[in-house]
Amino acid sequence: MLKHALRVMQVFRPKLLHCVPLQTLSIRGPLFTSIPVSYFSTTLPKHKKLEMPALSPTMETGNIQKYLKKVGDPITAGDVLCEVETDKATVGFEMQDEGFLAQILVPEGSKGVKVGQLVAVIVPKQSDVASFANYKDSSSQQCSAASKPAAQPQQSSTPQRAQPAATGGAFPKHSKLGLPALSPTMEKGNLMKWLVKEGDRISPGDVICEIETDKATVGFEVQEDGYIAKLMVPAGSKDIKLGTILAISTPKKDNVPSFTNYTLEGAAAAAQTTQAQPPQQQQQQQQTITNETPVQTVSQSGQRIFASPLAKEFAKINNVPLEYVKGTGIDGSIVKKDVERFLSSGSKPEVQQQQQVITPPQQQQTQAPSQEQPAQQTPPPAQAKQQTKPAAASKPVAIEGNPYVDTELTNMRLTIAARLLESKTTIPHYYLTMTVTMDKVLKVREELNKLQKVKISVNDFIIKASALALKDVPQANSQWHGTYIRKFANADISIAVATDAGLITPIVFNAGSKGLGTIASTVKELADKAKANKLKPQEFIGGTFTISNLGMFGIDQFIAVINPPQSAILAVGKTSKRFVPDEHGQPKVESQMDVTLSCDHRVVDGAVGAQWLQRFKYYIEDPNTLLL
């Protein structure tokens, strides 16, 4: 009887696979009336597979550093499942669903996890977690294949290699190289020059063209091997939006001729003629597109803000500037919960006031003016940038007999104008001036330069003294972020460098830990790069304090405009010999220098600014303290 029952089960096995996990059948046969048979089905409770997302536009694989959740833990939208090391940085894999973590399929510490690879499984009910105790990736693939038998013929009928065609049809395997965000505040760029031509081989790290951003002219580095198949945008093109396809690359040189007449419209038509891709591939492509056209998440100062894609989208919908949101994710990154907490704290009206400048004129006329909300009259940087354009385009009245030349504004100059306008209209500046004696610095500098290959300048002493003073008075090493003040541990000193294109501020990171010789060589290298428009974004984006030195131009004293979101900037004049009374009241000659500290009164109180200048004076007048 038992053998007969087992034979019946084998006959009906294909149908049993679609039943619930545990059932009892009543099988009737000629030798028995009814025998209960229990079996386990391959169908699992309702669940969702979590695949490795593309956490950066160029990410192909990632390393799972650490899980922040364990099996059985509840998950809500905005929670970070694990830390993933991408090709750019270590970021959090943020959840967009609610449920319970049923199984972790890729262990902690795994490296080279491909984008789209199954990482974990979540279920809507905690009682379903136990059903996935022995769940494996391979079995899940078999289960999905069994539940969709029609998918196999479609995959098998899809050609292994698309036929190349000049017009219509599918093109060989290729990648679209879109214009990336080469600076945090970049919205568009100008393609200055192509450094490759069609058919050239490219490797990771190669620069294929020069792009003028709102900050500087930087190179567009590719992250893949292959050949340039088609240049889609000619050199000299201006105001190219982010994500615009600049070029096409293909892994094989033989494929290059197939793209001679390639157009984006033709490629889209060819894609419609091909069969639909599997859902998993469609999801991967959707993630790639989403990451290649990032939502602007940059503070008004241009400092980069780390936020998850879900947080970016949620903040965009609710008109929340992310620079005002305090992040609680990995390394202070912003997740969706942080944006929700910001809105629930009652700060939303303040954000709406700042966004009011983009309200249509018809609606603005119906709103009552308020003298208690001056922030409404100050446009954000992006709007200020747009407002500078009509002024640039307007033609002034020519003075008869006086020839003139109109110079078109570069993106960098437009950004400088917007940033300065923002700083002077939104930051409550105040200024403190102090005179310092430079005799000892000049003497020590002369002695050190006899030993150093790289000559040390007075400015290098100022950088070092400023960094040590910031360590002693950390309130001055802080930033205003709307609802909180961020205080930094390290002093990243921005150095104002004048170039033909405008002012740029490369950074000496953690200057307090560097020696004078290292600072001197770093500043020289950064200045040379700045004047040659070769600075990389990471070399001039950020900074916690700025120094502007016009002493070499013979300027005795001046005041500088704060570089937001920083809270202070030091303006340095020239060193000159002056008569001062000695301890006996007799005149003597000293080398003196005037420095003026511009402070943001929201962050740095007057007493704090004075304390910082006292510490700066202490270090600069006793340079031996800088050598410790």
Side-chain angles (χ1 to χ4, degrees), residues 343-387:
L343 291 173
S344 63
S345 66
S347 302
K348 186 176 181 181
E350 177 184 350
V351 177
Q352 291 176 342
Q353 292 169 12
Q354 296 173 352
Q355 297 292 337
Q356 188 174 353
V357 292
I358 63 175
T359 305
Q362 295 83 356
Q363 297 182 16
Q364 289 184 354
Q365 293 176 0
T366 62
Q367 294 175 356
S370 173
Q371 297 180 355
E372 298 178 357
Q373 298 174 352
Q376 296 180 1
Q377 302 174 4
T378 303
Q383 297 297 325
K385 179 178 177 181
Q386 294 176 3
Q387 292 179 4

Side-chain angles (χ1 to χ4, degrees), residues 385-440:
K385 179 178 177 181
Q386 294 176 3
Q387 292 179 4
T388 59
K389 290 185 178 179
S394 62
K395 295 183 179 180
V397 178
I399 301 176
E400 185 176 356
N402 189 2
Y404 64 90
V405 175
D406 291 337
T407 303
E408 184 179 358
L409 294 178
T410 63
N411 289 343
M412 182 176 179
R413 177 57 63 184
L414 287 170
T415 301
I416 292 173
R419 293 277 301 280
L420 292 176
L421 178 64
E422 173 206 354
S423 179
K424 289 297 290 184
T425 55
T426 64
I427 296 178
H429 287 61
Y430 73 90
Y431 313 100
L432 301 173
T433 301
M434 179 176 282
T435 300
V436 295
T437 302
M438 300 296 290
D439 290 311
K440 291 183 180 180

Side-chain angles (χ1 to χ4, degrees), residues 166-424:
T167 58
F171 289 91
K173 183 179 179 182
H174 61 280
S175 298
K176 299 176 182 178
L177 305 178
L179 177 63
L182 298 173
S183 79
T185 54
M186 176 180 172
E187 297 176 353
K188 54 189 175 182
N190 303 333
L191 202 162
M192 306 302 293
K193 180 172 63 176
W194 282 106
L195 304 180
V196 295
K197 58 182 182 296
E198 294 177 1
D200 284 357
R201 179 176 178 82
I202 55 174
S203 301
D206 287 351
V207 177
I208 63 172
C209 62
E210 293 181 354
I211 302 293
E212 182 192 20
T213 72
D214 56 342
K215 300 290 187 182
T217 300
V218 296
F220 177 12
E221 295 185 3
V222 293
Q223 305 293 331
E224 56 187 36
D225 286 306
Y227 296 86
I228 296 295
K230 183 76 173 180
L231 300 180
M232 305 297 295
V233 178
S237 299
K238 296 186 177 182
D239 295 337
I240 307 169
K241 293 183 178 180
L242 292 182
T244 301
I245 305 303
L246 302 182
I248 304 297
S249 68
T250 182
K252 297 182 180 179
K253 191 171 186 178
D254 296 340
N255 296 338
V256 173
S258 302
F259 293 86
T260 303
N261 299 320
Y262 178 92
T263 62
L264 295 177
E265 294 78 7
Q272 293 177 358
T273 61
T274 59
Q275 295 184 345
Q277 295 179 338
Q280 182 177 356
Q281 295 183 10
Q282 292 178 358
Q283 185 176 359
Q284 293 178 18
Q285 291 181 356
Q286 185 177 1
Q287 292 174 350
T288 303
I289 294 174
T290 302
N291 283 275
E292 288 179 351
T293 55
V295 179
Q296 182 181 355
T297 56
V298 179
S299 66
Q300 297 179 356
S301 69
Q303 184 183 12
R304 184 179 180 185
I305 296 176
F306 294 93
S308 69
L310 184 61
K312 295 176 186 177
E313 185 65 24
F314 187 72
K316 182 180 179 182
I317 294 173
N318 291 275
N319 294 325
V320 176
L322 288 177
E323 66 265 30
Y324 297 137
V325 180
K326 183 177 181 180
T328 59
I330 303 168
D331 294 331
S333 61
I334 299 172
V335 295
K336 183 183 177 183
K337 282 185 175 180
D338 299 326
V339 183
E340 293 175 340
R341 189 180 302 109
F342 177 80
L343 291 173
S344 63
S345 66
S347 302
K348 186 176 181 181
E350 177 184 350
V351 177
Q352 291 176 342
Q353 292 169 12
Q354 296 173 352
Q355 297 292 337
Q356 188 174 353
V357 292
I358 63 175
T359 305
Q362 295 83 356
Q363 297 182 16
Q364 289 184 354
Q365 293 176 0
T366 62
Q367 294 175 356
S370 173
Q371 297 180 355
E372 298 178 357
Q373 298 174 352
Q376 296 180 1
Q377 302 174 4
T378 303
Q383 297 297 325
K385 179 178 177 181
Q386 294 176 3
Q387 292 179 4
T388 59
K389 290 185 178 179
S394 62
K395 295 183 179 180
V397 178
I399 301 176
E400 185 176 356
N402 189 2
Y404 64 90
V405 175
D406 291 337
T407 303
E408 184 179 358
L409 294 178
T410 63
N411 289 343
M412 182 176 179
R413 177 57 63 184
L414 287 170
T415 301
I416 292 173
R419 293 277 301 280
L420 292 176
L421 178 64
E422 173 206 354
S423 179
K424 289 297 290 184

Side-chain angles (χ1 to χ4, degrees), residues 52 54 56-62 87 112-116 223-225:
M52 173 69 76
S56 78
T58 55
M59 175 180 170
E60 296 179 354
T61 61
D87 57 338
V113 183
K114 293 183 179 180
V115 171
Q223 305 293 331
E224 56 187 36
D225 286 306

